Amino acid sequence: MTSATLSDRDILLALFDAGLAAALPEGKFKDRLPAPPKGRTIVIGAGKASARMARAFEEEWGHPCEGLIVTRYGHGCETRHIEIVEASHPVPDQAGLDAARRILELAKGAGPDDLVVCLMSGGASSLLTMPAEGLTLADKQALNNALLKSGAPIGVMNQVRKSLSAIKGGRLAAAIAPARAVTYLISDVPGDDPATIGSGPTIPEASDPEGVLGLMRAWGIEVTDKLEQVIRANTVPGDALPGQEVHMIATPMMALKAAEAKARELGITPLILGDAIEGEAREAAIVFAGIANCTASHGLPAAAPCVLLSGGETTVTVRGKGRGGRSVEFLLALAIALKGRPGISAVSCDTDGVDGTEDNAGAWFDAAILEEAAARGLKPADYLANNDGYSFFSALDRLVITGPTLTNVNDFRAILVR
């Protein structure tokens, strides 16, 4: 089977499926497991992929274990020994707060002969919520809403979250000591920085109150007197803890490499443009449209047939009241910028299966998209202005719906140039 016998849609979805398969935790614990402890094995963790990570860990571990994992509503799965609870994402709720308290108590209860296995993935920042002293859950919810609407990149959001948390930024690791801690991560952040994934609950990092306050002001997030007082008081040393191990088991680049291999199998030249693309989704789309047009016109940076692959985490500054996450925002802006150019199609999806807060992973389009929209009286620019990419692609039957994938290595984008 080659690209000549497949539709654009089939090719794009085959590339996404290949990337998604490479991001799953099954088989990723092999040869990375610690020696069994004299005492208990306690498994704790959080994130949209954490339940599936727990199941995969149990399959490889082969020894007694216990523990608690918190994941997003609808992202749980069946495990034998590790309890799975579900909570709200991206805005935290009481269920997440209750789970965080229980996880912290499990960490504090670990002794020197125990092993604590920490399973963290994207989404842990919201799911593992425990406000610092002086804050309430309502305060954290309001802050999360402000961060999500600000357009700030994920690194900035997680720096702010750490500074107002009683469990993130290495504070969970401090509670685990003197027990041995082994952390397994699925990365959803540009650069795969362990301290940024889930706001680094088990990764010690020195506090920087002045830097955090500066970031909040730079992104238009209100700094109340209470927030400033808590940020200045909630400091933590950045010293590494003895006996700690950190393993990265899935990353955005792994997904892109798998898609790259699939493209070659289909006879298409792949070009990975980066796994850490950030910035406004609609602005990034203009840049990618320029690269696609150059590819189609001049055979650079790759000759057609080729596919331009990228990952990372773009952002959306919410201006309208429509439905849609960053994947459909990017894709709609890309379609507009390409102006229906023949021979170019694209897919953009979030690998967790949820684009923003909707039921789709993302969407796809081919060169006929603008013509079809015009025939139905749809005005793409109006949908983009209202941040309503979901409704646009839904009306044209171009949504990609996977359901929760139980993993998360963030954005996946592929632009096919025939």
Side-chain angles (χ1 to χ4, degrees):
M1 188 165 55
T2 66
S3 61
T5 62
L6 294 173
S7 68
D8 288 4
R9 177 185 180 277
D10 288 343
I11 292 171
L12 294 168
L13 294 186
L15 296 173
F16 176 52
D17 287 345
L20 199 57
L24 299 178
E26 284 77 11
K28 302 292 177 60
F29 291 95
K30 190 176 182 180
D31 301 324
R32 289 173 168 161
L33 294 174
K38 294 180 181 179
R40 299 174 298 159
T41 298
I42 303 168
V43 182
I44 56 177
K48 287 180 276 189
S50 60
R52 192 163 185 165
M53 293 171 75
R55 184 174 65 187
F57 174 81
E58 283 185 343
E59 290 173 355
E60 290 287 347
W61 182 235
H63 304 282
C65 64
E66 59 189 276
L68 175 66
I69 297 291
V70 57
T71 191
R72 181 177 180 163
Y73 290 120
H75 288 241
C77 63
E78 188 173 339
T79 50
R80 295 192 300 274
H81 309 293
I82 303 165
E83 181 184 356
I84 308 295
V85 299
E86 298 183 353
S88 177
H89 177 280
V91 178
D93 65 0
Q94 187 65 43
L97 176 59
D98 293 342
R101 285 174 175 157
R102 292 178 60 196
I103 286 171
L104 189 58
E105 287 303 311
L106 283 170
K108 289 179 177 178
D113 290 333
D114 295 334
L115 168 68
V116 180
V117 175
C118 307
L119 307 176
M120 298 292 170
S121 69
S125 294
S126 299
L127 293 162
L128 198 64
T129 186
M130 181 174 288
E133 187 175 350
L135 292 182
T136 65
L137 176 60
D139 293 329
K140 291 295 293 285
Q141 289 170 331
L143 176 70
N144 265 275
N145 277 319
L147 286 168
L148 291 167
K149 292 180 180 180
S150 71
I154 187 63
V156 170
M157 289 196 283
N158 284 351
Q159 282 296 109
V160 175
R161 286 165 170 163
K162 288 180 196 179
S163 68
L164 295 166
S165 174
I167 200 168
K168 302 183 182 76
R171 294 171 177 86
L172 181 59
I176 292 170
R180 184 183 181 191
V182 180
T183 298
Y184 296 94
L185 300 170
I186 289 184
S187 173
D188 72 325
V189 299
D192 304 329
D193 179 5
T196 302
I197 299 166
S199 298
T202 62
I203 311 299
E205 180 182 12
S207 303
D208 180 15
E210 293 301 331
V212 170
L213 291 168
L215 289 172
M216 291 176 70
R217 294 185 177 107
W219 287 95
I221 300 164
E222 182 183 5
V223 180
T224 63
D225 290 342
K226 180 162 76 168
L227 287 179
E228 182 170 355
Q229 290 171 9
V230 171
I231 289 171
R232 293 190 184 282
N234 190 38
T235 58
V236 63
D239 301 331
L241 297 173
Q244 185 180 32
E245 295 178 23
V246 178
H247 300 277
M248 198 79 66
I249 65 171
T251 67
M253 183 54 75
M254 291 179 188
L256 295 177
K257 285 289 187 180
E260 177 185 54
K262 185 65 176 180
R264 292 192 189 282
E265 179 186 317
L266 296 173
I268 302 167
T269 301
L271 182 63
I272 296 177
L273 297 178
D275 67 337
I277 307 300
E278 295 184 88
E280 280 286 330
R282 62 178 65 187
E283 294 173 4
I286 295 172
V287 175
F288 278 78
I291 298 171
N293 277 324
C294 186
T295 300
S297 296
H298 307 294
L300 294 171
C306 68
V307 63
L308 309 174
L309 300 167
S310 65
E313 183 168 2
T314 61
T315 52
V316 175
T317 301
V318 179
R319 301 174 178 89
K321 297 181 180 180
R323 304 171 64 190
R326 60 182 181 266
S327 287
V328 291
E329 178 106 351
F330 170 87
L331 204 67
L332 179 52
L334 180 67
I336 293 170
L338 287 172
K339 301 177 181 178
R341 179 159 186 165
I344 302 179
S345 56
V347 66
S348 180
C349 290
D350 197 312
T351 52
D352 68 359
V354 182
D355 186 23
T357 58
E358 301 299 335
D359 61 358
N360 65 315
W364 71 280
F365 72 75
D366 56 17
I369 189 76
L370 297 186
E371 185 177 333
E372 289 184 21
R376 297 197 181 192
L378 306 178
K379 297 180 179 179
D382 290 349
Y383 281 89
L384 184 61
N386 197 33
N387 302 120
D388 200 12
Y390 180 97
S391 297
F392 178 81
F393 289 109
S394 177
L396 297 170
D397 195 25
R398 303 299 178 92
L399 293 177
V400 176
I401 298 177
T402 62
T405 62
L406 310 188
T407 189
N408 182 22
V409 291
N410 243 318
D411 301 343
F412 177 93
R413 292 177 293 270
I415 303 173
L416 176 65
V417 183
R418 288 284 201 177

mmCIF file of all heavy atoms in Angstrom, residues 332-367:
data_model
loop_
_atom_site.group_PDB
_atom_site.id
_atom_site.type_symbol
_atom_site.label_atom_id
_atom_site.label_comp_id
_atom_site.label_asym_id
_atom_site.label_seq_id
_atom_site.Cartn_x
_atom_site.Cartn_y
_atom_site.Cartn_z
ATOM 1 N N LEU A 332 -7.716 25.697 11.124
ATOM 2 C CA LEU A 332 -8.564 26.654 10.426
ATOM 3 C C LEU A 332 -7.737 27.824 9.889
ATOM 4 O O LEU A 332 -7.921 28.252 8.740
ATOM 5 C CB LEU A 332 -9.663 27.156 11.364
ATOM 6 C CG LEU A 332 -10.644 28.191 10.810
ATOM 7 C CD1 LEU A 332 -11.258 27.721 9.491
ATOM 8 C CD2 LEU A 332 -11.736 28.493 11.834
ATOM 9 N N ALA A 333 -6.826 28.323 10.719
ATOM 10 C CA ALA A 333 -5.953 29.406 10.260
ATOM 11 C C ALA A 333 -5.067 28.939 9.105
ATOM 12 O O ALA A 333 -4.789 29.703 8.167
ATOM 13 C CB ALA A 333 -5.100 29.912 11.424
ATOM 14 N N LEU A 334 -4.611 27.698 9.149
ATOM 15 C CA LEU A 334 -3.786 27.148 8.069
ATOM 16 C C LEU A 334 -4.591 27.056 6.772
ATOM 17 O O LEU A 334 -4.096 27.428 5.697
ATOM 18 C CB LEU A 334 -3.277 25.764 8.474
ATOM 19 C CG LEU A 334 -2.397 25.039 7.449
ATOM 20 C CD1 LEU A 334 -1.075 25.772 7.264
ATOM 21 C CD2 LEU A 334 -2.151 23.599 7.890
ATOM 22 N N ALA A 335 -5.816 26.575 6.862
ATOM 23 C CA ALA A 335 -6.657 26.460 5.668
ATOM 24 C C ALA A 335 -6.881 27.828 5.028
ATOM 25 O O ALA A 335 -6.831 27.971 3.800
ATOM 26 C CB ALA A 335 -7.993 25.816 6.033
ATOM 27 N N ILE A 336 -7.128 28.831 5.853
ATOM 28 C CA ILE A 336 -7.335 30.186 5.340
ATOM 29 C C ILE A 336 -6.081 30.692 4.654
ATOM 30 O O ILE A 336 -6.126 31.263 3.555
ATOM 31 C CB ILE A 336 -7.759 31.126 6.481
ATOM 32 C CG1 ILE A 336 -9.153 30.741 6.999
ATOM 33 C CG2 ILE A 336 -7.748 32.583 6.023
ATOM 34 C CD1 ILE A 336 -9.548 31.449 8.271
ATOM 35 N N ALA A 337 -4.920 30.470 5.280
ATOM 36 C CA ALA A 337 -3.659 30.978 4.729
ATOM 37 C C ALA A 337 -3.282 30.273 3.427
ATOM 38 O O ALA A 337 -2.691 30.886 2.533
ATOM 39 C CB ALA A 337 -2.546 30.814 5.757
ATOM 40 N N LEU A 338 -3.637 28.998 3.286
ATOM 41 C CA LEU A 338 -3.291 28.257 2.069
ATOM 42 C C LEU A 338 -4.226 28.574 0.908
ATOM 43 O O LEU A 338 -3.920 28.259 -0.257
ATOM 44 C CB LEU A 338 -3.317 26.751 2.352
ATOM 45 C CG LEU A 338 -2.161 26.212 3.199
ATOM 46 C CD1 LEU A 338 -2.405 24.759 3.568
ATOM 47 C CD2 LEU A 338 -0.829 26.360 2.459
ATOM 48 N N LYS A 339 -5.384 29.158 1.188
ATOM 49 C CA LYS A 339 -6.318 29.629 0.155
ATOM 50 C C LYS A 339 -6.765 28.517 -0.804
ATOM 51 O O LYS A 339 -6.953 28.750 -1.997
ATOM 52 C CB LYS A 339 -5.702 30.788 -0.629
ATOM 53 C CG LYS A 339 -5.329 31.975 0.235
ATOM 54 C CD LYS A 339 -4.658 33.077 -0.566
ATOM 55 C CE LYS A 339 -4.257 34.252 0.329
ATOM 56 N NZ LYS A 339 -3.553 35.320 -0.427
ATOM 57 N N GLY A 340 -6.888 27.317 -0.290
ATOM 58 C CA GLY A 340 -7.363 26.215 -1.126
ATOM 59 C C GLY A 340 -6.358 25.739 -2.145
ATOM 60 O O GLY A 340 -6.742 25.172 -3.179
ATOM 61 N N ARG A 341 -5.079 25.940 -1.883
ATOM 62 C CA ARG A 341 -4.054 25.534 -2.859
ATOM 63 C C ARG A 341 -4.143 24.035 -3.135
ATOM 64 O O ARG A 341 -4.149 23.222 -2.210
ATOM 65 C CB ARG A 341 -2.667 25.879 -2.336
ATOM 66 C CG ARG A 341 -1.572 25.450 -3.302
ATOM 67 C CD ARG A 341 -0.277 26.171 -3.098
ATOM 68 N NE ARG A 341 0.662 25.805 -4.140
ATOM 69 C CZ ARG A 341 1.779 26.470 -4.418
ATOM 70 N NH1 ARG A 341 2.063 27.566 -3.725
ATOM 71 N NH2 ARG A 341 2.586 26.068 -5.368
ATOM 72 N N PRO A 342 -4.201 23.637 -4.397
ATOM 73 C CA PRO A 342 -4.308 22.210 -4.741
ATOM 74 C C PRO A 342 -3.097 21.418 -4.238
ATOM 75 O O PRO A 342 -1.970 21.923 -4.211
ATOM 76 C CB PRO A 342 -4.367 22.223 -6.272
ATOM 77 C CG PRO A 342 -4.843 23.589 -6.630
ATOM 78 C CD PRO A 342 -4.262 24.496 -5.585
ATOM 79 N N GLY A 343 -3.366 20.184 -3.838
ATOM 80 C CA GLY A 343 -2.275 19.284 -3.481
ATOM 81 C C GLY A 343 -1.783 19.377 -2.063
ATOM 82 O O GLY A 343 -0.824 18.692 -1.700
ATOM 83 N N ILE A 344 -2.400 20.222 -1.245
ATOM 84 C CA ILE A 344 -1.960 20.351 0.142
ATOM 85 C C ILE A 344 -3.120 20.014 1.072
ATOM 86 O O ILE A 344 -4.218 20.563 0.937
ATOM 87 C CB ILE A 344 -1.434 21.772 0.461
ATOM 88 C CG1 ILE A 344 -0.267 22.127 -0.458
ATOM 89 C CG2 ILE A 344 -0.994 21.852 1.922
ATOM 90 C CD1 ILE A 344 0.300 23.517 -0.217
ATOM 91 N N SER A 345 -2.867 19.117 2.016
ATOM 92 C CA SER A 345 -3.855 18.734 3.015
ATOM 93 C C SER A 345 -3.156 18.667 4.369
ATOM 94 O O SER A 345 -1.922 18.668 4.442
ATOM 95 C CB SER A 345 -4.486 17.379 2.657
ATOM 96 O OG SER A 345 -3.477 16.384 2.513
ATOM 97 N N ALA A 346 -3.920 18.600 5.436
ATOM 98 C CA ALA A 346 -3.296 18.642 6.759
ATOM 99 C C ALA A 346 -4.191 18.031 7.820
ATOM 100 O O ALA A 346 -5.418 17.980 7.676
ATOM 101 C CB ALA A 346 -2.956 20.082 7.135
ATOM 102 N N VAL A 347 -3.548 17.578 8.905
ATOM 103 C CA VAL A 347 -4.243 17.134 10.100
ATOM 104 C C VAL A 347 -3.567 17.779 11.298
ATOM 105 O O VAL A 347 -2.355 18.003 11.292
ATOM 106 C CB VAL A 347 -4.218 15.587 10.237
ATOM 107 C CG1 VAL A 347 -2.806 15.068 10.468
ATOM 108 C CG2 VAL A 347 -5.140 15.126 11.346
ATOM 109 N N SER A 348 -4.363 18.126 12.299
ATOM 110 C CA SER A 348 -3.830 18.639 13.553
ATOM 111 C C SER A 348 -4.668 18.062 14.674
ATOM 112 O O SER A 348 -5.889 18.232 14.694
ATOM 113 C CB SER A 348 -3.875 20.171 13.589
ATOM 114 O OG SER A 348 -3.354 20.666 14.823
ATOM 115 N N CYS A 349 -4.006 17.350 15.607
ATOM 116 C CA CYS A 349 -4.724 16.674 16.694
ATOM 117 C C CYS A 349 -3.932 16.755 17.984
ATOM 118 O O CYS A 349 -2.701 16.850 17.966
ATOM 119 C CB CYS A 349 -4.948 15.200 16.361
ATOM 120 S SG CYS A 349 -6.134 14.888 15.039
ATOM 121 N N ASP A 350 -4.655 16.690 19.084
ATOM 122 C CA ASP A 350 -4.025 16.541 20.383
ATOM 123 C C ASP A 350 -3.967 15.054 20.691
ATOM 124 O O ASP A 350 -4.975 14.355 20.578
ATOM 125 C CB ASP A 350 -4.805 17.283 21.471
ATOM 126 C CG ASP A 350 -3.970 17.481 22.724
ATOM 127 O OD1 ASP A 350 -3.355 16.490 23.159
ATOM 128 O OD2 ASP A 350 -3.931 18.590 23.266
ATOM 129 N N THR A 351 -2.805 14.565 21.091
ATOM 130 C CA THR A 351 -2.623 13.123 21.254
ATOM 131 C C THR A 351 -3.374 12.544 22.448
ATOM 132 O O THR A 351 -3.463 11.321 22.577
ATOM 133 C CB THR A 351 -1.132 12.786 21.401
ATOM 134 O OG1 THR A 351 -0.561 13.591 22.441
ATOM 135 C CG2 THR A 351 -0.390 13.023 20.100
ATOM 136 N N ASP A 352 -3.936 13.390 23.310
ATOM 137 C CA ASP A 352 -4.749 12.834 24.400
ATOM 138 C C ASP A 352 -6.180 12.559 23.954
ATOM 139 O O ASP A 352 -6.979 12.010 24.713
ATOM 140 C CB ASP A 352 -4.732 13.722 25.641
ATOM 141 C CG ASP A 352 -5.446 15.050 25.454
ATOM 142 O OD1 ASP A 352 -5.944 15.316 24.342
ATOM 143 O OD2 ASP A 352 -5.505 15.834 26.416
ATOM 144 N N GLY A 353 -6.513 12.947 22.723
ATOM 145 C CA GLY A 353 -7.848 12.716 22.198
ATOM 146 C C GLY A 353 -8.845 13.799 22.518
ATOM 147 O O GLY A 353 -10.011 13.699 22.146
ATOM 148 N N VAL A 354 -8.385 14.863 23.173
ATOM 149 C CA VAL A 354 -9.282 15.950 23.578
ATOM 150 C C VAL A 354 -8.656 17.279 23.179
ATOM 151 O O VAL A 354 -7.631 17.686 23.738
ATOM 152 C CB VAL A 354 -9.551 15.942 25.094
ATOM 153 C CG1 VAL A 354 -10.519 17.051 25.474
ATOM 154 C CG2 VAL A 354 -10.096 14.588 25.542
ATOM 155 N N ASP A 355 -9.256 17.950 22.225
ATOM 156 C CA ASP A 355 -8.775 19.260 21.786
ATOM 157 C C ASP A 355 -9.491 20.339 22.593
ATOM 158 O O ASP A 355 -10.673 20.601 22.366
ATOM 159 C CB ASP A 355 -9.039 19.448 20.294
ATOM 160 C CG ASP A 355 -8.424 20.737 19.755
ATOM 161 O OD1 ASP A 355 -7.471 21.238 20.375
ATOM 162 O OD2 ASP A 355 -8.898 21.228 18.723
ATOM 163 N N GLY A 356 -8.802 20.929 23.535
ATOM 164 C CA GLY A 356 -9.439 21.895 24.428
ATOM 165 C C GLY A 356 -10.354 21.174 25.398
ATOM 166 O O GLY A 356 -9.915 20.332 26.172
ATOM 167 N N THR A 357 -11.638 21.460 25.324
ATOM 168 C CA THR A 357 -12.608 20.794 26.198
ATOM 169 C C THR A 357 -13.673 20.062 25.390
ATOM 170 O O THR A 357 -14.700 19.659 25.935
ATOM 171 C CB THR A 357 -13.288 21.815 27.124
ATOM 172 O OG1 THR A 357 -13.938 22.819 26.326
ATOM 173 C CG2 THR A 357 -12.271 22.495 28.031
ATOM 174 N N GLU A 358 -13.432 19.876 24.098
ATOM 175 C CA GLU A 358 -14.435 19.255 23.232
ATOM 176 C C GLU A 358 -14.240 17.744 23.146
ATOM 177 O O GLU A 358 -13.348 17.172 23.775
ATOM 178 C CB GLU A 358 -14.382 19.900 21.849
ATOM 179 C CG GLU A 358 -14.633 21.409 21.848
ATOM 180 C CD GLU A 358 -15.999 21.791 22.389
ATOM 181 O OE1 GLU A 358 -16.926 20.960 22.328
ATOM 182 O OE2 GLU A 358 -16.145 22.926 22.882
ATOM 183 N N ASP A 359 -15.065 17.079 22.312
ATOM 184 C CA ASP A 359 -15.016 15.624 22.206
ATOM 185 C C ASP A 359 -14.160 15.147 21.045
ATOM 186 O O ASP A 359 -14.132 13.959 20.734
ATOM 187 C CB ASP A 359 -16.425 15.055 22.063
ATOM 188 C CG ASP A 359 -17.145 15.566 20.808
ATOM 189 O OD1 ASP A 359 -16.565 16.389 20.061
ATOM 190 O OD2 ASP A 359 -18.302 15.140 20.582
ATOM 191 N N ASN A 360 -13.452 16.062 20.383
ATOM 192 C CA ASN A 360 -12.616 15.690 19.247
ATOM 193 C C ASN A 360 -11.139 15.786 19.612
ATOM 194 O O ASN A 360 -10.743 16.562 20.494
ATOM 195 C CB ASN A 360 -12.888 16.601 18.055
ATOM 196 C CG ASN A 360 -12.495 18.041 18.324
ATOM 197 O OD1 ASN A 360 -12.799 18.583 19.390
ATOM 198 N ND2 ASN A 360 -11.802 18.670 17.395
ATOM 199 N N ALA A 361 -10.317 14.983 18.921
ATOM 200 C CA ALA A 361 -8.868 15.112 19.065
ATOM 201 C C ALA A 361 -8.361 16.289 18.237
ATOM 202 O O ALA A 361 -7.380 16.938 18.586
ATOM 203 C CB ALA A 361 -8.183 13.827 18.628
ATOM 204 N N GLY A 362 -9.025 16.547 17.130
ATOM 205 C CA GLY A 362 -8.625 17.623 16.230
ATOM 206 C C GLY A 362 -9.467 17.570 14.972
ATOM 207 O O GLY A 362 -10.659 17.269 15.024
ATOM 208 N N ALA A 363 -8.819 17.813 13.822
ATOM 209 C CA ALA A 363 -9.536 17.813 12.549
ATOM 210 C C ALA A 363 -8.546 17.636 11.410
ATOM 211 O O ALA A 363 -7.323 17.584 11.630
ATOM 212 C CB ALA A 363 -10.335 19.105 12.377
ATOM 213 N N TRP A 364 -9.066 17.559 10.198
ATOM 214 C CA TRP A 364 -8.221 17.453 9.016
ATOM 215 C C TRP A 364 -8.886 18.229 7.895
ATOM 216 O O TRP A 364 -10.079 18.532 7.935
ATOM 217 C CB TRP A 364 -8.022 15.990 8.597
ATOM 218 C CG TRP A 364 -9.257 15.375 8.009
ATOM 219 C CD1 TRP A 364 -10.341 14.883 8.682
ATOM 220 C CD2 TRP A 364 -9.558 15.243 6.611
ATOM 221 N NE1 TRP A 364 -11.301 14.448 7.805
ATOM 222 C CE2 TRP A 364 -10.849 14.650 6.523
ATOM 223 C CE3 TRP A 364 -8.880 15.563 5.432
ATOM 224 C CZ2 TRP A 364 -11.450 14.376 5.308
ATOM 225 C CZ3 TRP A 364 -9.470 15.282 4.224
ATOM 226 C CH2 TRP A 364 -10.742 14.693 4.158
ATOM 227 N N PHE A 365 -8.133 18.556 6.853
ATOM 228 C CA PHE A 365 -8.732 19.154 5.656
ATOM 229 C C PHE A 365 -7.911 18.798 4.429
ATOM 230 O O PHE A 365 -6.744 18.408 4.529
ATOM 231 C CB PHE A 365 -8.868 20.685 5.786
ATOM 232 C CG PHE A 365 -7.571 21.458 5.706
ATOM 233 C CD1 PHE A 365 -6.907 21.650 4.501
ATOM 234 C CD2 PHE A 365 -7.029 22.039 6.844
ATOM 235 C CE1 PHE A 365 -5.725 22.378 4.425
ATOM 236 C CE2 PHE A 365 -5.855 22.767 6.780
ATOM 237 C CZ PHE A 365 -5.196 22.938 5.569
ATOM 238 N N ASP A 366 -8.533 18.928 3.259
ATOM 239 C CA ASP A 366 -7.815 18.835 1.994
ATOM 240 C C ASP A 366 -8.061 20.122 1.214
ATOM 241 O O ASP A 366 -8.681 21.064 1.720
ATOM 242 C CB ASP A 366 -8.238 17.589 1.207
ATOM 243 C CG ASP A 366 -9.743 17.531 0.969
ATOM 244 O OD1 ASP A 366 -10.420 18.575 1.120
ATOM 245 O OD2 ASP A 366 -10.252 16.431 0.656
ATOM 246 N N ALA A 367 -7.601 20.165 -0.014
ATOM 247 C CA ALA A 367 -7.643 21.414 -0.776
ATOM 248 C C ALA A 367 -9.064 21.884 -1.075
ATOM 249 O O ALA A 367 -9.281 23.059 -1.396
ATOM 250 C CB ALA A 367 -6.859 21.248 -2.085
#
